[in-house]
């Protein structure tokens, strides 16, 4: 099973700042099968990025994803008030899906 | 517009079986482009994938839950279901159903989730 480790656990930033979130895999992951989600309290996760770098429908271009192999990154270029949430990476490999433990982006 | 709705008991006793159903509306569960899956989230914790099924009945399970979980599909009702046997307090969580896009294996549409508490 591939383990995804996200860092940092919590990111304290102000609106307008840039957020950089990391997702590291225990083994190489196909870029096609790496996704990012946003989850706000009391809500279901929302797909942000798929295929490591493709934005899902309706996702603003301030969200961008990159990476390959074992290291992937989600960048929020300028934080808006609605972006403060928990972010999860997710991968698929060998008929199994796994999630990272999440990064909380909180208001500083 | 595609919607997924979880249903089932909110309270299950320890050692019993948790049973949930996800009703899909706005699309056919028999679509060849999608899988259908269950994910859970214990209080204050992260997301855990449980199981996924294709309309044909092909199933995939989280190895850590495989011995207790069972996922099934009813194409005539446009529903899929989860059973989790021998539950303990550790199975208390919000349970989500989700649509999984076959080619990229991401979950693009989620239900709102249903809270299941395991307690006597």
């Amino acid at each position: 099973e591939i383990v995804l480790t996200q860092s940092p656990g919590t990111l304290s930033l102000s609106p307008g700042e840039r957020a950089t979130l990391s997702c590291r895999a225990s083994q190489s992951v196909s870029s096609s099968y790496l996704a990012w989600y946003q989850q706000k309290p009391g809500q279901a996760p929302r797909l942000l990025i798929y295929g490591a770098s493709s934005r899902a429908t309706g996702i603003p271009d301030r969200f961008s994803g990159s990476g390959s192999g074992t290291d992937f990154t989600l960048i929020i270029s300028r934080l808006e008030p609605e972006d403060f949430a928990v972010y999860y990476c997710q991968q698929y490999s060998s008929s199994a899906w796994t999630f990272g433990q999440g990064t909380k982006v909180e208001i500083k | 517009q595609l919607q997924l709705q979880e249903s089932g008991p909110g309270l299950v006793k320890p050692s019993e079986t948790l049973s949930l159903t996800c009703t899909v509306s706005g699309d056919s569960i028999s679509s060849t482009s999608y899988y259908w899956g269950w994910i859970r989230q214990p209080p204050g914790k992260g997301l855990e994938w449980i199981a996924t099924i294709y309309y044909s009945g092909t199933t995939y399970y989280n190895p850590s839950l495989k011995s207790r979980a069972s996922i099934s599909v009813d194409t005539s009702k446009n529903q899929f279901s989860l059973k989790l046997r021998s539950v303990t307090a550790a199975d208390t969580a919000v349970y989500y159903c989700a649509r999984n896009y076959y080619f990229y294996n991401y979950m693009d549409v989620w239900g709102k989730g249903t809270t299941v508490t395991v307690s006597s």
Side-chain angles (χ1 to χ4, degrees), chain B residues 85-107:
Chain B
R85 296 176 291 276
S86 304
V87 297
T88 69
D91 295 309
T92 294
V94 176
Y95 285 74
Y96 296 101
C97 59
R99 186 178 76 169
N100 185 323
Y101 185 51
Y102 180 92
F103 296 102
Y104 284 93
N105 285 297
Y106 56 71
M107 296 143 191

Side-chain angles (χ1 to χ4, degrees), chain A residues 32 37 39 50 88 90 97, chain B residues 41 49 100 104-107:
Chain A
S32 295
Y37 301 83
Q39 187 180 34
Y50 66 91
Y88 294 94
Q90 169 253 310
W97 290 257
Chain B
Q41 186 170 36
W49 168 68
N100 185 323
Y104 284 93
N105 285 297
Y106 56 71
M107 296 143 191

